[in-house]
Structures are given as C-alpha cells and as structure tokens.
Amino acid sequence: MSLLIRAEGSARLLAAVKLANVALVLIWGFAVTYVFVRVLPLDEFRAFLLLVAFGNFTVSAEFGVTTIVYARLRRHWLGGEGDDYRPEELGFILALLLALIGVAALLLVAALALGWLPTMMPMLFLLFFLSACFNLPALLIKRMLAASDANFRWELIDCARRIATILLLVGVLRGLDVTLSVALQLSVTLIALAFALRLAHRRLNMKAGHWLGLRVGGGHVRARYVRDLSASVAFTLSEVAAYNAPYFLIALATREARPLLLFDFLFKMSRALSMTVRALVEAALPRATRAFHAGDAVRFRQIVGRALAGAAMMAFAAAVGLAFIGRWLFAQLFDGKAAIGAGEIALVALGLGALAIMCVSVYIQSALGRFRHLLWRSLPFLAGSLASVPLAALWVSRFDHMFLALYTLTLLGAGAIHAHSLRALTRTIGR
C-alpha cells in the first residue's frame, strides 16, 4: 500500500502508467479495425463504422456530467470553499448512466430490427455496442478515483482490463468466433468495473445507502448541477457533433468508401493524440487543481506551460511518424481497400498540431468547471465541421481531398481560439 501511495505522489510514475494505458487503448482501437475489416465483408464493415460512430455519440451523451463530478469531488477532497458535495449524488449519476445505456441499447435494437443499420450479424453489433457503452460507468469511476488521489489504482485495473480484451480480440485471427470474443470482452469489462467500484466505495467512505438514495441524490443533482450541466450539455453536444457528424454527412454525400475511410483515419489519429495528451494532462491535474484552488498563479502557469510543451512534442512525434509510415499504416489498417496521398498525410499532421492545443485547454478548463467558457469557444469548431462536407461537395471530383483540407482548416482555427483562452486563464488566476 505504501508503494501505491508513493506512486500516486509521483507525477512521472503516474504519467508513465497513464501513457501505458493509452498505448493499450490505442492498440485495442487499431486492432478492432484491423480484425473487423478482415472478418467482415466491406458493406458490413461500413455499417460497423456507423455503429462505432453511434457508440461514440452514446458515450459522449453523459454530457460531461462525470467531469462535473470530478470538479465537485476534487474541491471537496481538497477542502475547497463553498463545498456542498453529498455522496448520494454519485449513486444517482451512476443510475442515470446505466439508464442511458439501456435506452441506447433499445434504440440500437430498433434500428437493427427495422433495417436502419443493415447487418447480418445483429448479436455481434449489439454486444460490441454494449461493450463500448460501459465506458460510461467506467468514466465515472475513473473520475471518482482521480478526484480522491487514487489515479494509479484505477490505471492498474484498467491496464489489466485492456490487456485481456486485446488478447481476446487477437484470438479472432487465431480462430476464435468473433461474437464470442466480443461477449468475453464485455464480461471482462464488467468484472473490472465491479472491482474498481468497490475500491471507490471504500476510498470515499461510502455506504450502501448512498448508492440507493436516488431521491436524495436526484434532488441534490437538480439543485446543484443544473447551471454547470446546461453549459456542459451544450459544450459536449457541440464537441461530439464536430468530431463525429462528418461520419454521417459523408455517408449521405457519397457511397464511395474512400472519403469515409479517410476521415476514419484522421479520427483515429486524432483520438490517439488526444488520449495521449489527456494522459499527460491528467498526470498534472492533481498539482494543477491544487495550485488553481490555492490561487498560486506562478505554479499554475508553470504546469500549463509544461503541459502545452509536452502536447506539442507529442504532436510533432506523430507528424514525423506519419511522414515515414503514414501510407503504410493506412494501407494496413484498411486492408489495402484505399490509399492516402502525401498531401493528405500533411493535412492530418497539421490538424494534429492544432488538436494538441485544444486538448490541453479542454482538459484543464473542464477539470476547473469552466464549462460556459469552453462552450462559446467550441462553436466555431462545430460550424466549420458541419460546413466541411457540403462545401467539399462543390468539388465533386476531389471531394475527399477538399473535405480533409476544410476540416484541417477548422482544426487550425479552433486551436488558435483555445491557445488564446489558455493564455487569458493563466493571466487572470488569483486576481
């Protein structure tokens, strides 16, 4: 236990285990594409990409409530001013997330039954969707443990879960039935979450009644969360639409597979970078939140500056990697069903540079509860993302390339806005 306590206090060890977990998540994400594009016919795989997008929408439909939990619980844990935290609110929010999973699963069943999402493997699609959706309660438990200085414990549990699910996924290439593999992955996830929830329960000195006090928790959430939640809902909807809407808009604009595969590649690269930057920022959040709530402007600026520098280095490393192996990676990822050009690789690299700044800004300011501030700075990104597909459609013969150029330009503009926002924040703290 003393080793865990020392690990929690070391930013380097915490960053290392978080980055290891990110690597496992990325391996799993790429392995999903690598395996499924090989075991599914192309039409089924195209439907599978839409399922993944629907899963992303569903996971994001918690509307940032877990981030609000982190901001409130962290302030409570640090003994901040104006603390009105009650443990029953956690039970209510967990029940809310489970209900959201149930509603989303029913919608998917309806879509499969009515043929809106055509597939010959409905059970596989449903199990995979549920496996993705249980990242919602996982996110809540992660925030609970992070707010109570138990980051390292969560990462160890999650690393074990990821390793098991990767092995099960690779087993498909060795002859394991793909539906059975996904069912076993879902089982592993549920076991890991049960263990982590028990740890959070003990860490926060909670009782069974706190989880079951839904009326008390619901009333407290309604009274204390509405202001932040309204801004968080709008901000999350804006971000989710900006990142995921092109999947559906491209599918409406063309039946060609390449534009969708090109955007999926950009999405996977951006998700890989954002997860890596998140690991870096989350390792710094314990110190950053302490400095912010204590009004230590010098220390806070130092932490933010280091986070930006680290994110920039990661984006640069990703750009260099794409320059050397981007074409090969694209061909391997999509089983040679499409190719990517050098100019498109350069656009992806530029977009990743802007995304790194956006991620640092969003992760730090969300942890501080600055949801209204973030909302207004997300709207230009949303507008540019939604406009990219119809504008690119004006160039029919070069639709795919023009879309990527317009979407990258949108990322660059959003990155500049967030850079200014972070600079303003570091100058106003403590005033």
Side-chain angles (χ1 to χ4, degrees):
M1 184 60 68
S2 60
L3 289 175
L4 285 175
I5 294 173
R6 285 200 295 271
E8 291 288 353
S10 171
R12 288 185 176 87
L13 282 177
L14 189 56
V17 72
K18 282 182 175 290
L19 287 172
N21 199 4
V22 165
L24 291 172
V25 173
L26 295 178
I27 290 171
W28 182 86
F30 283 106
V32 165
T33 300
Y34 187 88
V35 170
F36 277 69
V37 78
R38 284 163 173 77
V39 299
L40 299 180
L42 186 57
D43 286 343
E44 288 278 353
F45 182 69
R46 190 173 184 273
F48 178 74
L49 288 180
L50 296 179
L51 174 76
V52 171
F54 181 46
N56 291 336
F57 269 109
T58 304
V59 172
S60 300
E62 53 98 12
F63 297 130
V65 69
T66 59
T67 306
I68 298 175
V69 168
Y70 174 85
R72 288 175 54 78
L73 189 53
R74 184 63 177 164
R75 187 169 62 245
H76 167 75
W77 188 261
L78 295 175
E81 296 180 3
D83 177 29
D84 57 358
Y85 160 81
R86 288 194 63 166
E88 289 87 354
E89 63 192 62
L90 298 178
F92 178 80
I93 291 170
L94 178 60
L96 191 67
L97 296 180
L98 293 176
L100 176 61
I101 293 174
V103 171
L106 289 175
L107 290 174
L108 177 61
V109 169
L112 292 171
L114 296 172
W116 296 340
L117 189 64
T119 176
M120 299 298 292
M121 303 175 174
M123 183 56 67
L124 172 64
F125 275 43
L126 179 60
L127 289 172
F128 186 88
F129 181 73
L130 288 174
S131 182
C133 283
F134 271 99
N135 282 311
L136 278 170
L139 195 56
L140 174 63
I141 298 168
K142 174 183 178 178
R143 299 279 192 261
M144 291 165 58
L145 290 172
S148 56
D149 287 322
N151 280 281
F152 200 82
R153 295 165 176 82
W154 162 260
E155 298 299 337
L156 291 179
I157 295 170
D158 205 33
C159 278
R161 172 174 75 112
R162 299 293 181 182
I163 291 171
T165 54
I166 289 169
L167 291 175
L168 287 168
L169 190 59
V170 172
V172 175
L173 299 178
R174 299 286 184 175
L176 179 64
D177 179 75
V178 64
T179 303
L180 177 60
S181 171
V182 174
L184 291 174
Q185 290 178 56
L186 176 58
S187 301
V188 168
T189 294
L190 292 175
I191 292 170
L193 294 188
F195 185 79
L197 186 61
R198 181 174 179 270
L199 176 60
H201 176 88
R202 297 176 61 183
R203 180 75 174 170
L204 296 169
N205 295 317
M206 294 181 67
K207 300 176 181 177
H210 293 145
W211 297 106
L212 301 176
L214 301 183
R215 180 175 296 180
V216 174
H220 197 68
V221 167
R222 284 192 297 271
R224 300 292 187 271
Y225 278 60
V226 170
R227 183 178 182 277
D228 281 343
L229 190 57
S230 60
S232 178
V233 166
F235 171 65
T236 304
L237 286 173
S238 175
E239 291 284 285
V240 169
Y243 284 113
N244 291 279
Y247 274 113
F248 300 100
L249 294 175
I250 292 171
L252 290 173
T254 178
R255 294 291 299 175
E256 293 293 325
R258 186 177 185 272
L260 197 61
L261 297 182
L262 197 62
F263 178 70
D264 189 56
F265 183 74
L266 170 61
F267 184 86
K268 282 180 167 57
M269 294 300 105
S270 62
R271 186 169 180 266
L273 179 66
S274 64
M275 291 174 64
T276 307
V277 174
R278 180 186 281 277
L280 177 71
V281 173
E282 285 182 348
L285 277 182
R287 292 168 294 140
T289 50
R290 282 194 181 93
F292 181 85
H293 290 299
D296 189 345
V298 174
R299 180 62 173 155
F300 185 76
R301 280 195 295 269
Q302 183 184 54
I303 294 170
V304 171
R306 288 178 178 175
L308 284 171
M313 290 177 61
M314 290 174 180
F316 179 75
V320 172
L322 285 174
F324 283 99
I325 66 168
R327 292 184 178 183
W328 173 84
L329 180 61
F330 189 92
Q332 291 296 311
L333 193 60
F334 299 114
D335 198 25
K337 292 181 171 64
I340 189 171
E344 290 161 336
I345 289 288
L347 288 173
V348 172
L350 279 174
L352 294 181
L355 182 69
I357 299 172
M358 294 167 61
C359 289
V360 173
S361 173
V362 169
Y363 298 152
I364 288 179
Q365 298 195 67
S366 293
L368 299 175
R370 291 167 55 87
F371 303 108
R372 290 186 179 275
H373 182 87
L374 287 172
L375 169 61
W376 293 110
R377 280 142 190 83
S378 72
L379 297 180
F381 179 37
L382 172 62
S385 175
L386 294 178
S388 295
V389 171
L391 286 176
L394 298 176
W395 290 271
V396 178
S397 61
R398 303 202 66 195
F399 168 75
D400 43 8
H401 185 81
M402 290 306 301
F403 161 72
L404 188 59
L406 290 169
Y407 194 81
T408 300
L409 184 62
T410 298
L411 286 171
L412 290 172
I417 291 171
H418 277 278
H420 176 75
S421 176
L422 267 183
R423 184 180 181 187
L425 174 63
T426 59
R427 288 185 171 186
T428 57
I429 184 173
R431 293 184 182 177

